[in-house]
Amino acid sequence: MNKVIAINGSPRKNGNTAILLQKALDGAASVGAETEMIHLIDLEYKGCISCFACKRKGTRFIGSCALQDDLSPVLEKAMHAQAIILGSPIYLGDVTALMRAFIERFGFINVSYDNKRHNQFAGKINAAFCYTMNVPKLISLLFGYVYMFNKGFLKKLNGTVEMLVCTDTWQFDDYSKYEASNFDVEKKKKVREKVFPRDCEKAYKIGRKLSAAREDG
Ligand SMILES: Cc1cc2nc3c(=O)[nH]c(=O)nc-3n(C[C@H](O)[C@H](O)[C@H](O)COP(=O)(O)O)c2cc1C
């Protein structure tokens, strides 16, 4: 099935991350994919509880997670998708807690502790990660965010991996209502009007590429 799933790690369902993810899904739909957006904020779930059911000898949980909660059907869908597009704002220099808990569960079921196998996952899922953040690009580089962007667990899915980094985002509808004098609102406004639409186009193209990459093998 040509299904593309976007997973929103922002608690805001209409924020920057959700907008980019929706554009990526629109791109996927434009080449015939069935698409679905999942907002992690709607779900009750935990990160990995270290039960190791997925690593036990003879386990029936190869490539799946034994912990049953609202994330279980999402993991199942993600493992059977043609492509997954993850998105998260940066919170205090990392992905949100919602996304981190998702990554612990989704990433760990594909990690192999067996030196004969690099990877528990034998299939292929194309993947992308969209990051959004307040800081401008230069500061994101100075802060070393780039090291955090390298999400190795996506490479274990054996498919194409894409990344979109969206900086200097628009955070409030009305900056005058907040104690936020750190920000140059006029500059932010310009970035919102000129740069963000380009990031949306990039997201759209990523969605198309990950969907079309099926036929490329
Ligand atoms: C709790 C919290 C922590 C944040 N920490 C950072 C940060 O460390 N670096 C940064 O560049 N932006 C930070 N931001 C800003 C968000 O990453 C940024 O506004 C993002 O685009 C929000 O995405 P959303 O609109 O999808 O929710 C933070 C925002 C919140 C609410």
Side-chain angles (χ1 to χ4, degrees):
M1 183 187 23
N2 185 7
K3 180 143 190 191
V4 177
I5 296 173
I7 298 184
N8 180 20
S10 171
R12 303 202 296 184
K13 293 191 195 178
N14 298 304
N16 302 297
T17 314
I19 293 170
L20 290 174
L21 290 175
Q22 188 54 55
K23 293 289 172 192
L25 290 183
D26 292 347
S30 75
V31 286
E34 184 192 335
T35 64
E36 182 177 354
M37 174 84 82
I38 292 166
H39 298 284
L40 291 176
I41 190 69
D42 291 339
L43 312 177
E44 292 288 336
Y45 64 101
K46 292 188 174 78
C48 176
I49 58 163
S50 199
C51 71
F52 294 113
C54 61
K55 307 281 175 270
R56 221 165 283 163
K57 287 181 178 168
T59 182
R60 65 187 175 90
F61 291 108
I62 284 276
S64 68
C65 180
L67 183 59
Q68 293 299 307
D69 57 19
D70 288 358
L71 202 60
S72 308
V74 176
L75 295 174
E76 183 67 18
K77 276 183 198 172
M79 290 300 287
H80 292 95
Q82 150 146 18
I84 55 168
I85 305 173
L86 311 183
S88 179
I90 299 303
Y91 277 11
L92 306 177
D94 210 327
V95 294
T96 61
L98 290 167
M99 179 51 73
R100 178 67 207 172
F102 169 83
I103 290 172
E104 286 180 12
R105 300 272 293 279
F106 183 74
F108 198 56
I109 57 180
N110 294 317
V111 166
S112 173
Y113 277 3
D114 181 348
N115 65 14
K116 292 186 286 302
R117 284 183 306 171
H118 164 67
N119 189 350
Q120 294 229 111
F121 184 59
K124 178 181 156 193
I125 304 170
N126 296 324
F129 210 119
C130 301
Y131 299 92
T132 71
M133 68 209 70
N134 235 334
V135 293
K137 190 172 179 191
L138 185 62
I139 305 287
S140 81
L141 295 172
L142 286 173
F143 284 0
Y145 284 179
V146 70
Y147 296 107
M148 179 253 309
F149 294 156
N150 182 16
K151 292 277 177 279
F153 73 96
L154 293 179
K155 296 192 186 107
K156 290 188 177 292
L157 301 174
N158 310 320
T160 304
V161 179
E162 295 286 331
M163 182 171 72
L164 177 61
V165 177
C166 174
T167 54
D168 218 348
T169 53
W170 188 250
Q171 194 165 18
F172 309 120
D173 288 339
D174 182 351
Y175 275 73
S176 70
K177 290 186 179 155
Y178 298 88
E179 297 286 359
S181 57
N182 272 351
F183 301 117
D184 177 344
V185 181
E186 282 313 306
K187 182 177 166 258
K188 279 218 170 269
K189 207 176 199 173
K190 276 191 195 137
V191 173
R192 181 60 166 193
E193 284 163 8
K194 299 227 156 68
V195 183
F196 191 64
R198 293 210 293 271
D199 287 333
C200 288
E201 276 170 35
K202 284 183 199 161
Y204 186 88
K205 282 183 187 156
I206 286 173
R208 273 182 78 92
K209 181 175 176 184
L210 296 190
S211 253
R214 182 189 183 86
E215 282 73 41
D216 301 342

